[in-house]
């Protein structure tokens, strides 16, 4: 009938089910492509979602996940983004299969998928980001430096609009993944289960003794017990600063509180500066 023709030729408006299909495809690929790092691309997908979002500047309203401008130089070449091509390339087959999704929505959804599939908290998500061109690339220097202290961290995350509690909650994501000598120069994982989202980052931060690693690489800490773990100077700032430390102690003690407060802060991170047209967020279903 004419009605069917009109429907078939109208603009495709993806539904929650369509985004769930994208989620499921990312989750499937995470399992299929397990021959990488500690067995999962999940952590580097989380880092991509965060670096795409963490360029936000609340004063000018520039940056943030809307735009996916890390597709382009100069942003793709910023030192902080070293290694993220791996994550972007991982998602290309997903973009090819679901061409209607924007890169900006895809990259943030991939971060959500990774956290949920690596047994982290539910991260409510909504679509609505539009890709922008190279002229929307943000200047270098908006992401945090790992060799700096609490003042730098407060400055960088304050520019995005985060308070102390949210800053500490977010940094719990360092329970995932590792540093790579050929990317940041740092080397090693933060905890013993880099492909499982836990509050171990906080527990180790307070319970382990951390000493400067003796090596020719950049200044980083290593745990005195096994010498296999690492902390960045910026991670240690969370226990050197009294206000930050309060939250570290709370999260080290209570995984449930950490999961809840992390989820809230991560939702906020992925939405910074995005002109959404809907208030509704979805919790897409994890595969297990
Ligand atoms: Fe990271 N982060 N991050 N980070 N990050 C690295 C790796 C990951 C900082 C520095 C680094 C956040 C905050 C900060 C992840 C997620 C998040 C690396 C190593 C560095 C140097 C990169 C490499 O060599 O591969 C600093 C200084 C931050 C402010 C304190 C966020 C809170 C924790 C916002 C966040 O979500 C993830 C995941 C990784 C692991 C990537 C991997 O490839 O395994």
């Amino acid at each position: 009938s004419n009605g069917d023709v009109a429907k078939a030729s109208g603009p495709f408006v993806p539904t929650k089910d369509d985004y769930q299909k994208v989620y499921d495809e990312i989750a499937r690929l995470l399992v299929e492509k397990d021959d990488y790092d500690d067995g999962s691309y999940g952590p580097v997908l989380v880092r991509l979602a965060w670096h795409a979002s963490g360029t936000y500047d609340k004063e000018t309203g520039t940056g943030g996940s809307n735009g996916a401008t890390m597709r382009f130089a100069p942003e793709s070449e910023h030192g902080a983004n070293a290694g993220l091509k791996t994550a972007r390339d991982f998602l290309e087959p997903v973009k090819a299969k679901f061409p209607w999704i924007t890169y900006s929505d895809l990259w943030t959804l991939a971060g959500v998928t990774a956290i949920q599939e690596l047994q982290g908290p539910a991260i409510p998500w909504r679509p609505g980001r539009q890709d922008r061109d190279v002229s929307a690339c943000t200047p270098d220097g908006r992401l945090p430096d790992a060799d700096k202290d609490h003042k730098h961290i407060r400055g960088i995350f304050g520019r995005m609009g985060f308070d102390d509690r949210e800053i500490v909650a977010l940094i719990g994501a360092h329970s995932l993944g590792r540093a790579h000598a050929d990317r940041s120069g740092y080397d090693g994982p933060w905890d013993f289960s880099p492909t499982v989202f836990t509050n171990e980052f906080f527990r180790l931060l307070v319970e382990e003794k951390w000493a400067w690693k003796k090596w020719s690489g950049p200044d980083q800490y290593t745990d005195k017990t096994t010498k296999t773990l690492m902390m960045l100077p910026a991670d240690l700032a969370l226990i050197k600063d009294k206000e930050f430390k309060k939250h570290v102690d709370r999260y080290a003690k209570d995984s449930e509180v950490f999961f809840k407060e992390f989820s809230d802060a991560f939702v906020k991170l992925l939405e910074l500066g995005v002109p959404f047209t809907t208030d509704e967020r979805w919790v897409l279903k994890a595969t297990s």
Side-chain angles (χ1 to χ4, degrees), residues 36-38 40-48 50-51 80 82-84 143-148 152-153 156-157 167-188 190 194 230 232 234-235 238 262 266 269:
Y36 168 77
D37 259 9
D38 302 289
S40 177
Y41 278 85
V44 80
L45 295 182
V46 174
R47 185 166 166 248
L48 174 65
W50 131 240
H51 280 210
L84 289 178
L143 292 163
D145 296 328
D147 62 350
K148 300 246 168 78
H152 174 74
I153 296 175
I156 293 281
F157 285 92
I167 293 169
V168 178
L170 282 173
I171 297 173
H174 277 169
S175 103
L176 292 178
R178 60 169 54 244
H180 304 75
D182 61 343
R183 295 179 185 177
S184 60
Y186 299 97
D187 189 37
W190 287 268
M230 73 111 200
L232 304 166
D235 296 315
L238 297 185
F262 173 82
F266 204 75
L269 175 68

Side-chain angles (χ1 to χ4, degrees), residues 200-217:
E200 279 293 283
F201 169 84
F202 296 114
R203 195 190 60 78
L204 288 160
L205 201 48
V206 291
E207 290 184 12
E208 201 35 80
K209 298 251 179 302
W210 297 93
W212 288 114
K213 182 180 170 82
K214 294 191 175 60
W215 74 326
S216 57

